[in-house]
Amino acid sequence: MKKIGIIGAGHVGLVTGACLAKLGNKVICCDNDLEKIKKLKNLQIHFYEPGLEEIVKECVKKKLLFFTESIYQIVKDTEIIFIAVGTPPTEEGKLDLSYVENVTVEIAKSLTKIKSKNPKKKIYRLIVEKSTVPVLTSEWVKKTLELLTPTGIEFDIAANPEFLREGNAVNDFFHPDRIVIGVESKRAKKIFEEIYKPIKCPKIFTDIRSAELIKHASNSFLALKISYINAISNICEKVGADVEVVAEGMGLDKRIGKDFLKAGIGYGGSCLPKDIAAFISLSEEIGYPFNLLKEVQNINQQQRLLVIKKAKELLWNLKNKNIGIFGLSFKPNTDDIREAPSIDIIKLLKKEEAILKCHDFKAIENMKKLFPDLFYSENPYEVAKESHLLIFLTEWDDYKKIDFKKIKELMKMPYIIDGRNFLNNKILNKIGFVYRGIGRKNE
Ligand code: UDX
């Protein structure tokens, strides 16, 4: 059992902390958002993630998981300290590393305060980059700690990037494809081998820079794959092919793989868009203009506009038309709307003066904060009532269970745009809908 500190109790930090506690470690999570910590101490989690609440409750009960607002307590009471604070995008698309920097300074100040209980026993701390950071960030963390930490305290830096997918994060923690750890010492490597021993998967120990780069390179490749199939979907529309069929044919080639070949309105979320932008900006800085990734971004942005184009093809003009939006979160099984395509699409529809009614299974409260003036309902039939057009933006499984015959009777016009190609166009056409997918045959 290790004593582990997590600085930053967000999607990454809280999942990592709770799951490390579940593995039997003593974990203290801290955050500078006092409200968030207060809620966590009352076992209230500020975001939805399947399976997380149960683990938090279990580990708190077992006295394996604790919450604090004090970085000093983390540095004093734990030996391995994960930095899991946000690295939000700046205006120019760089990653704002100020939170990482502030936390590093706080760690150094706390290290200065702790006295070694046993003067003969040197204090050791392992500081781990868990947040997604541009390659070379660890140099800054190390330099800051070296400059500000008094002699007599030993520390190592490491990079342990996460590959958690929102809505699947707990499962991804316990069943990852691989664990990547960048270390600079045998001592640090041994600690990670012990921490991750219960997790059966390939563990790649690398230098720190390679570990940092693996994260950005992986996320960017995933986004590239999505923009590639979205580009193919545009060609499918022009030649009358079906992108779902093309993707299936491509994905059977093991070198391509079927995952991340779903065409639609493009990627969103708090990671892919930000990581791509950061990678492009970092590449510029080190003298490599990453034009390929710039095109990945362009294609992704264009996909959102397709929905408006298709809506106009069906309704001619959108002014005062009743349009039902089904799906607000950036993907299913999460309440997260960060960089969700729905935000851009709602803005464009509002500009066309359409009358919008919105549904989602988890994300309504979050979207209300952005667009308080819209009509929201948890009842899809209420959203469909009197609508000229329904636009599906998130492929929640539960949408497949709604009674589309009833939906059609409630609507003024039978138009459906499926932004995620997840509805059954043949059945919908049989019911009498006019179905439009993304790169799909419409019959
Ligand atoms: C992603 C990476 O998958 C994960 O490894 C990393 O740690 C964080 O970023 P996440 O953003 O949670 O995870 O969701 P993901 O499932 O990757 O989907 C990202 C976006 O791509 C979503 O908007 C999704 O709708 C879209 N997507 C995904 C597609 O448009 N097509 C696909 O085939 C797959």
Side-chain angles (χ1 to χ4, degrees):
M1 167 164 123
K2 300 280 179 207
K3 292 181 180 172
I4 298 174
I6 307 279
I7 302 178
H11 281 82
V12 172
L14 184 60
V15 170
T16 302
C19 294
L20 285 170
K22 176 79 178 169
L23 290 181
N25 300 290
K26 183 182 172 215
V27 178
I28 311 177
C29 284
C30 94
D31 199 293
N32 63 3
D33 179 333
L34 307 187
E35 191 50 36
K36 198 185 279 186
I37 290 296
K38 195 165 142 239
K39 281 186 177 168
L40 283 169
K41 285 180 176 174
N42 290 327
L43 299 178
Q44 291 164 334
I45 299 177
H46 48 286
F47 59 90
Y48 173 71
E49 191 59 58
L52 180 61
E53 190 170 344
E54 295 82 343
I55 292 181
V56 168
K57 286 181 175 168
E58 177 197 332
C59 294
V60 166
K61 199 166 156 209
K62 285 182 180 170
K63 297 201 179 314
L64 284 173
L65 182 59
F66 303 85
F67 300 104
T68 176
E69 54 283 346
S70 155
I71 288 182
Y72 172 69
Q73 185 187 350
I74 294 262
V75 175
K76 181 167 68 67
D77 296 341
T78 69
E79 187 190 30
I80 301 128
I81 301 165
F82 284 82
I83 299 177
V85 292
T87 52
T90 61
E91 288 304 309
E92 324 78 72
K94 290 186 192 325
L95 284 190
D96 175 357
L97 295 176
S98 58
Y99 301 119
V100 174
E101 185 185 4
N102 298 341
V103 159
T104 304
V105 171
E106 277 303 303
I107 290 171
K109 283 182 186 164
S110 303
L111 284 171
T112 311
K113 280 187 224 153
I114 51 178
K115 294 267 175 293
S116 169
K117 296 182 190 73
N118 165 359
K120 290 195 189 58
K121 187 173 177 298
K122 281 206 170 193
I123 292 175
Y124 172 77
R125 292 293 181 269
L126 175 54
I127 315 294
V128 187
E129 281 175 349
K130 178 53 88 173
S131 305
T132 302
V133 292
V135 64
L136 303 176
T137 301
S138 60
E139 315 286 311
W140 285 105
V141 172
K142 189 171 178 180
K143 195 160 83 175
T144 307
L145 288 172
E146 279 166 351
L147 286 170
L148 298 175
T149 301
T151 51
I153 290 186
E154 293 173 331
F155 65 85
D156 272 322
I157 308 290
N160 176 213
E162 50 80 23
F163 299 97
L164 307 176
R165 287 166 298 167
E166 283 192 47
N168 202 48
V170 169
N171 185 52
D172 284 344
F173 181 93
F174 291 113
H175 308 288
D177 290 340
R178 78 306 201 182
I179 295 176
V180 171
I181 304 124
V183 288
E184 290 181 329
S185 75
K186 286 193 175 51
R187 182 174 190 178
K189 181 177 180 192
K190 191 168 175 305
I191 291 174
F192 277 108
E193 282 167 342
E194 288 161 10
I195 291 178
Y196 289 125
K197 191 162 178 231
I199 299 179
K200 306 300 172 213
C201 74
K203 286 147 195 166
I204 304 178
F205 286 93
T206 72
D207 62 280
I208 291 184
R209 294 178 186 195
S210 301
E212 290 171 328
L213 203 46
I214 288 170
K215 171 70 182 176
H216 264 145
S218 301
N219 262 11
S220 301
F221 182 78
L222 292 171
L224 180 146
K225 207 173 169 187
I226 293 168
S227 281
Y228 181 82
I229 198 64
N230 281 332
I232 296 295
S233 76
N234 291 309
I235 293 174
C236 288
E237 297 230 347
K238 292 187 184 307
V239 301
D242 189 317
V243 74
E244 290 295 291
V245 174
V246 171
E248 187 186 358
M250 289 170 62
L252 289 168
D253 181 325
K254 286 188 183 55
R255 295 166 303 171
I256 297 174
K258 62 180 179 38
D259 290 345
F260 278 67
L261 277 182
K262 273 300 275 176
I265 49 177
Y267 58 82
S270 62
C271 293
L272 294 193
K274 168 186 73 130
D275 288 357
I276 298 269
F279 205 14
I280 289 170
S281 132
L282 171 87
S283 305
E284 299 279 352
E285 273 170 35
I286 58 169
Y288 179 76
F290 213 143
N291 298 322
L292 177 63
L293 289 187
K294 288 176 189 165
E295 190 50 25
V296 167
Q297 284 182 318
N298 294 339
I299 293 169
N300 195 55
Q301 213 42 45
Q302 289 307 311
Q303 287 304 103
R304 287 148 164 72
L305 307 179
L306 284 178
V307 167
I308 309 306
K309 177 171 160 284
K310 289 170 186 287
K312 286 184 173 175
E313 281 166 2
L314 292 168
L315 290 172
W316 185 35
N317 69 63
L318 307 184
K319 190 178 164 92
N320 296 328
K321 292 291 190 324
N322 298 326
I323 298 179
I325 307 283
F326 283 72
L328 303 172
S329 57
F330 82 93
K331 66 176 213 176
N333 300 321
T334 179
D335 58 356
D336 198 343
I337 60 167
R338 286 176 289 181
E339 300 290 319
S342 57
I343 295 173
D344 290 337
I345 291 166
I346 286 172
K347 279 179 187 163
L348 290 166
L349 290 170
K350 280 167 68 84
K351 217 181 267 179
E352 298 286 338
E353 298 180 86
I355 299 161
L356 304 181
K357 295 197 280 185
C358 303
H359 175 275
D360 191 278
F361 291 100
K362 290 281 177 192
I364 286 179
E365 287 317 308
N366 284 335
M367 195 58 97
K368 269 182 185 168
K369 294 171 196 156
L370 272 188
F371 299 109
D373 57 321
L374 296 185
F375 173 88
Y376 297 89
S377 169
E378 297 193 351
N379 174 352
Y381 300 99
E382 199 176 356
V383 169
K385 201 164 179 318
E386 304 291 304
S387 288
H388 296 92
L389 163 69
L390 299 182
I391 304 176
F392 287 80
L393 299 179
T394 311
E395 66 279 25
W396 284 97
D397 259 353
D398 285 351
Y399 283 138
K400 294 179 187 170
K401 297 173 191 154
I402 57 182
D403 177 349
F404 278 98
K405 286 197 176 81
K406 185 177 166 192
I407 289 279
K408 184 171 174 300
E409 282 153 25
L410 291 165
M411 290 174 70
K412 267 189 178 157
M413 304 292 279
Y415 295 141
I416 281 191
I417 293 175
D418 177 2
R420 292 292 180 189
N421 289 343
F422 76 113
L423 297 172
N424 187 318
N425 52 343
K426 290 182 173 48
I427 291 179
L428 291 174
N429 285 326
K430 228 179 246 146
I431 296 173
F433 284 100
V434 174
Y435 172 95
R436 291 289 182 271
I438 305 286
R440 301 211 65 186
K441 285 181 168 241
N442 294 319
E443 77 285 343

